[in-house]
Amino acid sequence: MQMTLSFLGAAQEVTGSCHLLNIEGYQVLLDCGLIQGSKADVLRNHEPFAFKPSQIHAVVLSHAHIDHSGRLPLLVKSGFTGPIYSQKATVELCDVMLRDAAMLQARDTERLNKKREKNDLPLLEPLFDEADVDRVMQQFVAIDYGEKAQVTPQLKVCLSDAGHILGSAVVELWLGQGDESKKLVFSGDLGREGMPILDDPTLIEKADLVLMESTYGDRRHRGWDDTLEELKSIFARTIEQSRGNILLPAFSVGRAQELLYLFHLHAKDWDLSRWRICLDSPMAIRATQIYVKNYSLMDEDFKRFTRMSPGKHPLLSNVDFIDTTEESMELNHIHQGLIVIAGSGMCNGGRIRCHLEHNLANPLSDVIICGYQAQGTPGRLLVDGAKSLTISGQSVNVAAKLHTVGGLSAHADQAELLHWYRHFSNSPPVILVHGEVEAQKVLLAQLSADPNLAPSHSAIAQLGDCLDLTQLPKLVWLSKSTANESQDE
């Protein structure tokens, strides 16, 4: 029996999630995400796929974030006609997020082509447009958590809550039949224990191979109570000064809703009554409405709190939704008293760029970074201490106070990743994806150091690696970079 797994994205990097299963001639993708980061990284999205899209039988999508779903319209545009299996809330979120991505593609390509034309370079086409998104949405097959779906004659799939964003899934895959069958568990992006709104990540007991994310494999987040105290102190100091605005670059799905919930829960304790809280993102507004609609997927604390406050939904009660461009521009004339939540979360697009342009040079303003910042993004530059940022072709000095609040991350940290893996009773082989290589090396060392935890075999995936799944639990590579050979145990 032929069963292989190829790593075609999010290999030693955090974006562009894409892995290819080949089972008895049927090809199935796990995710098909957009590559994000520097300008050079973004241009990689224009390169041909490493497979023929017309020969892909199906896609299994872990969740809606663009670095996992963002190239689905391009896949369809390039000839893919099969089903896309995902949790039903993910389908709803993708309808919003992929349309927004199509709009950004058109705008960014037009801007890029003006520069390429001046330099006599060939012009680029947008990766996809809204018509491609329309076709993608027709190919989704929505499944509930816990429901098994027959994807191919030799592949069954079941999704369980990953606790990362609404609809996010840990993917269990059963390959083959009888004595030759293997079970692969793909973590997708794992959330954190005890975080607001969503349930904790589902713990899985058995697997023949674990494909695990490693975004924060080298660090631990600040505890939740300490994070809340940190946020309270930021607001208290700025309120005491009675000057400046607070900007929160936030991912439109997940982080934005979490912040709205916290501002509702702690409005009195943080003395937010004198502040105007604005959610300045059409996509985040639509996503929030989807969160409200999918009440049944929320954790028990959220449900209990909502039942106790009829008429005051915790995601809607104390926020102004800023939908139009004109409304957003009006905020730039307000120099104090604003809390602005806006995308993009890595500051590489969206309305947060305009707010940074008008507030970053003000030493009385604050910028709270509360999510992962990929290498090459403006957000990463700010975290790394940049003294200026280029926005709309102009250099803007960084004088605002910068805060990095890691405790708000929606990704599991090192301890939480180890805890999640620890619940596999048979210590299955593990391959790390979706992480920068230094973080992955640290996590791999931690996995190997614990005699009660150590997997029988482990590796860090590298772009283009191909694994023979029939040889599990041994990691037998059909093609593999020599840079990874020393990582097998």
Side-chain angles (χ1 to χ4, degrees):
M1 175 175 287
Q2 180 193 37
M3 293 192 296
T4 64
L5 174 63
S6 300
F7 301 91
L8 305 178
Q12 299 190 3
E13 59 184 333
V14 170
T15 67
S17 179
C18 187
H19 315 292
L20 176 63
L21 281 167
N22 193 325
I23 311 145
E24 289 293 275
Y26 287 90
Q27 297 185 65
V28 177
L29 285 183
L30 304 179
D31 290 349
C32 190
L34 204 67
I35 301 167
Q36 299 170 304
S38 68
K39 291 180 180 179
D41 290 327
V42 171
L43 285 175
R44 289 164 51 203
N45 290 300
H46 290 269
E47 297 173 1
F49 287 108
F51 48 82
K52 291 184 178 180
S54 61
Q55 295 180 2
I56 299 298
H57 177 81
V59 176
V60 180
L61 179 62
S62 66
H63 65 289
H65 274 154
I66 288 297
D67 62 323
H68 292 256
S69 70
R71 282 199 294 172
L72 285 173
L74 179 61
L75 189 72
V76 168
K77 180 180 179 180
S78 304
F80 169 65
T81 59
I84 304 167
Y85 295 88
S86 67
Q87 208 279 337
K88 59 182 182 180
T90 295
V91 180
E92 297 178 49
L93 289 172
C94 279
D95 193 31
V96 173
M97 299 185 75
L98 294 178
R99 293 187 192 285
D100 181 78
M103 180 270 293
L104 293 175
Q105 282 291 321
R107 187 197 67 188
D108 293 347
T109 303
E110 181 181 6
R111 183 182 302 153
L112 185 61
N113 278 341
K114 289 180 180 179
K115 296 179 181 179
R116 294 177 71 88
E117 191 172 22
K118 290 179 181 178
N119 295 311
D120 294 324
L121 295 172
L123 301 185
L124 299 173
E125 290 186 4
L127 286 176
F128 53 84
D129 58 24
E130 193 158 352
D132 299 312
V133 177
D134 288 337
R135 288 190 285 273
V136 166
M137 297 313 302
Q138 294 173 7
Q139 293 173 223
F140 271 100
V141 177
I143 55 179
D144 291 322
Y145 288 139
E147 177 185 352
K148 272 192 179 181
Q150 189 81 45
V151 177
T152 77
Q154 302 286 338
L155 176 63
K156 290 182 181 179
V157 168
C158 182
L159 307 180
S160 299
D161 197 341
H164 175 62
I165 64 169
L166 184 70
S168 61
V170 174
V171 183
E172 295 177 86
L173 306 108
W174 290 266
L175 297 79
Q177 295 177 347
D179 294 339
E180 295 181 315
S181 66
K182 303 293 180 182
K183 183 183 178 184
L184 168 63
V185 174
F186 173 40
S187 72
D189 282 358
L190 288 173
R192 304 181 57 204
E193 292 191 356
M195 295 294 282
I197 302 181
L198 300 177
D199 284 318
D200 293 347
T202 303
L203 303 173
I204 310 296
E205 291 186 3
K206 286 189 178 295
D208 293 300
L209 177 68
V210 175
L211 193 62
M212 187 167 75
E213 73 121 314
S214 50
T215 311
Y216 287 109
D218 61 343
R219 70 194 76 174
R220 297 192 178 195
H221 299 313
R222 178 170 288 194
W224 186 238
D225 290 341
D226 290 339
T227 297
L228 294 179
E229 282 300 315
E230 183 179 5
L231 287 170
K232 180 180 178 180
S233 68
I234 294 171
F235 292 122
R237 182 180 50 75
T238 309
I239 288 169
E240 185 179 344
Q241 293 175 343
S242 297
R243 295 175 291 179
N245 296 323
I246 298 177
L247 306 183
L248 293 107
F251 300 107
S252 296
V253 178
R255 186 60 35 74
Q257 292 73 38
E258 185 177 276
L259 289 169
L260 293 180
Y261 186 41
L262 291 180
F263 291 155
H264 180 81
L265 289 178
H266 301 282
K268 184 176 181 180
D269 188 35
W270 295 353
D271 195 17
L272 299 180
S273 60
R274 287 182 284 168
W275 290 79
R276 180 186 176 193
I277 302 173
C278 299
L279 181 62
D280 188 11
S281 165
M283 183 166 67
I285 292 169
R286 309 292 178 268
T288 301
Q289 293 164 342
I290 293 172
Y291 266 67
V292 171
K293 175 183 174 183
N294 283 275
Y295 175 82
S296 63
L297 298 179
M298 307 306 174
D299 67 18
E300 288 305 315
D301 287 341
F302 185 91
K303 291 176 182 176
R304 188 182 309 110
F305 187 87
T306 305
R307 288 194 298 267
M308 291 170 59
S309 306
K312 295 183 179 181
H313 195 283
L315 299 184
L316 304 175
S317 64
N318 62 344
V319 59
D320 290 342
F321 284 169
I322 309 298
D323 205 345
T324 69
T325 302
E326 291 74 21
E327 290 174 311
S328 179
M329 292 175 65
E330 287 175 6
L331 299 181
N332 293 320
H333 302 294
I334 302 173
H335 304 296
Q336 65 181 49
L338 286 180
I339 297 174
V340 180
I341 306 167
S344 68
M346 297 185 191
C347 307
N348 55 346
R351 293 181 178 178
I352 194 63
R353 301 275 292 173
C354 191
H355 294 304
L356 288 170
E357 183 179 3
H358 286 83
N359 289 273
L360 204 54
N362 182 1
L364 301 176
S365 289
D366 294 80
V367 179
I368 302 176
I369 301 293
C370 51
Y372 184 81
Q373 307 298 310
Q375 288 186 349
T377 61
R380 182 65 165 261
L381 294 176
L382 287 174
V383 170
D384 289 343
K387 302 300 182 183
S388 64
L389 209 61
T390 301
I391 305 175
S392 301
Q394 302 295 320
S395 179
V396 179
N397 289 332
V398 179
K401 298 174 185 66
L402 187 74
H403 312 269
T404 303
V405 184
L408 285 175
S409 176
H411 282 272
D413 66 7
Q414 182 190 90
E416 291 160 333
L417 289 168
L418 295 174
H419 171 75
W420 184 77
Y421 177 82
R422 188 174 289 115
H423 280 76
F424 289 97
S425 59
N426 58 328
S427 297
V430 61
I431 297 178
L432 300 183
V433 295
H434 203 283
E436 294 175 6
V437 65
E438 292 306 316
Q440 293 177 320
K441 288 179 179 178
V442 173
L443 181 59
L444 205 62
Q446 289 294 316
L447 281 166
S448 302
D450 186 342
N452 298 317
L453 191 65
S456 54
H457 301 272
S458 60
I460 296 171
Q462 186 157 309
L463 199 65
D465 285 353
C466 182
L467 180 69
D468 184 354
L469 297 177
T470 66
Q471 302 299 311
L472 293 172
K474 293 183 179 179
L475 299 184
V476 177
W477 302 93
L478 300 176
S479 64
K480 192 175 191 297
S481 167
T482 55
N484 271 350
E485 288 179 353
S486 62
Q487 293 163 351
D488 289 345
E489 296 182 357

